[in-house]
Amino acid sequence: MDQLLEDSLLKKTNDSIAVLTLGYCRLGRNLSLVLLKDLLKHKNPKTLVLEVREDENRYSHPVFPYLAEREDVFQPVMLFNPDLIKDLYLGVRTRFEYHQRKWLNNHPEAYPADYRSYGYGSSQRLADSTFLRQKKAERIIRAERKLKEGGRDFHMRFPRAYLKKIAQLVATHGIQLYFLYLPEYGWPLREPMELATYRQYGEVWIPPADILDNPKHWMDDGHLNDEGARALSGWLVSLLQGN
């Protein structure tokens, strides 16, 4: 809850600190770099808190080739990128269609800009308790399987490369980088599987169990509801206040 964080920090520090939640659905760490680059064109943030989940996703984000800068599409992280050919194809096709429309004076309709000051999406929905118990049982099994998987260093080189790019970019802008662990409901591991990678670049914040394990805090098995977000935001205030 970015607005709640702003108001709480103002009360505690008497200092106006702008807080904004930026996110996009689906997984793929390369989109984090795209969003960060776009942010830095318009703003000068002092702190970046990067959400991390149970594990890094080894694939490219579906909208990466559409939104990324040309250099990031055509000079991508190549090794161990399972979506390399697809991203290059979509990147070329999208840009060709865009210029074709310009040449034919057939400009696509512009999407309306969203001028809201905050990015948090409110929801008072409460997830079904039976559904959550089922998901928890499934995730315990999945976590056990992941811990036994081999070839981790091979599969993680793609997302790790983008994490390194993000860390280097924020360092050149003097931005403090933190990682916030937000697993899905019922995930049994209390630390992200890429904890060692994150710690190379910044401090990792792990919410207490009473926030993540409370079924009343979830709108579904992957998203906190307003009550959960309020609890998480209250916990984050003290961390942001000290930084």
Side-chain angles (χ1 to χ4, degrees), residues 35-243:
L35 296 176
L36 175 60
K37 282 189 168 186
D38 193 47
L39 173 65
L40 293 177
K41 291 177 182 177
H42 306 282
K43 302 291 181 180
N44 298 299
K46 304 300 181 188
T47 301
L48 174 67
V49 181
L50 191 65
E51 177 188 349
V52 299
R53 298 170 62 84
E54 304 89 348
D55 200 5
E56 286 293 317
N57 184 273
R58 65 184 66 172
Y59 298 97
S60 174
H61 194 284
V63 303
F64 172 78
Y66 301 99
L67 300 182
E69 294 179 350
R70 184 185 306 167
E71 64 185 65
D72 291 323
V73 174
F74 299 119
Q75 297 178 18
V77 173
M78 300 187 69
L79 292 178
F80 316 112
N81 178 357
D83 292 319
L84 175 64
I85 302 302
K86 183 185 73 174
D87 283 352
L88 289 173
Y89 167 73
L90 292 174
V92 170
R93 192 186 75 177
T94 299
R95 284 154 180 78
F96 174 76
E97 290 176 352
Y98 171 78
H99 289 293
Q100 184 183 49
R101 285 175 175 268
K102 286 183 65 176
W103 297 330
L104 298 175
N105 200 28
N106 182 21
H107 299 286
E109 294 183 13
Y111 288 99
D114 186 345
Y115 292 107
R116 288 178 295 179
S117 298
Y118 301 100
Y120 173 72
S122 177
S123 174
Q124 299 181 27
R125 191 171 72 191
L126 181 63
D128 178 74
S129 59
T130 302
F131 172 72
L132 290 180
R133 284 195 297 270
Q134 177 187 344
K135 287 296 181 182
K136 182 176 181 178
E138 292 174 359
R139 282 166 184 154
I140 290 173
I141 296 172
R142 183 156 62 91
E144 292 174 350
R145 289 175 179 170
K146 284 188 72 68
L147 290 172
K148 296 177 182 178
E149 285 180 352
R152 179 168 189 82
D153 285 339
F154 175 85
H155 293 300
M156 288 293 108
R157 289 192 181 186
F158 178 66
R160 285 173 184 171
Y162 279 98
L163 288 165
K164 184 176 181 179
K165 285 175 176 282
I166 290 169
Q168 291 173 337
L169 185 57
V170 298
T172 61
H173 285 79
I175 301 169
Q176 188 69 49
L177 178 60
Y178 298 94
F179 298 89
L180 174 61
Y181 180 45
L182 292 178
E184 296 176 313
Y185 180 81
W187 185 253
L189 305 182
R190 291 300 176 186
E191 297 177 341
M193 299 189 72
E194 281 295 298
L195 180 65
T197 301
Y198 306 140
R199 282 181 170 168
Q200 294 179 49
Y201 308 121
E203 185 178 343
V204 181
W205 294 344
I206 299 178
D210 61 344
I211 293 178
L212 298 179
D213 292 349
N214 188 340
K216 293 182 179 180
H217 286 171
W218 295 84
M219 62 172 286
D220 57 29
D221 62 309
H223 301 86
L224 296 171
N225 57 24
D226 287 350
E227 183 176 342
R230 192 174 295 108
L232 178 68
S233 300
W235 174 75
L236 282 171
V237 168
S238 59
L239 295 174
L240 290 170
Q241 183 182 357
N243 298 284

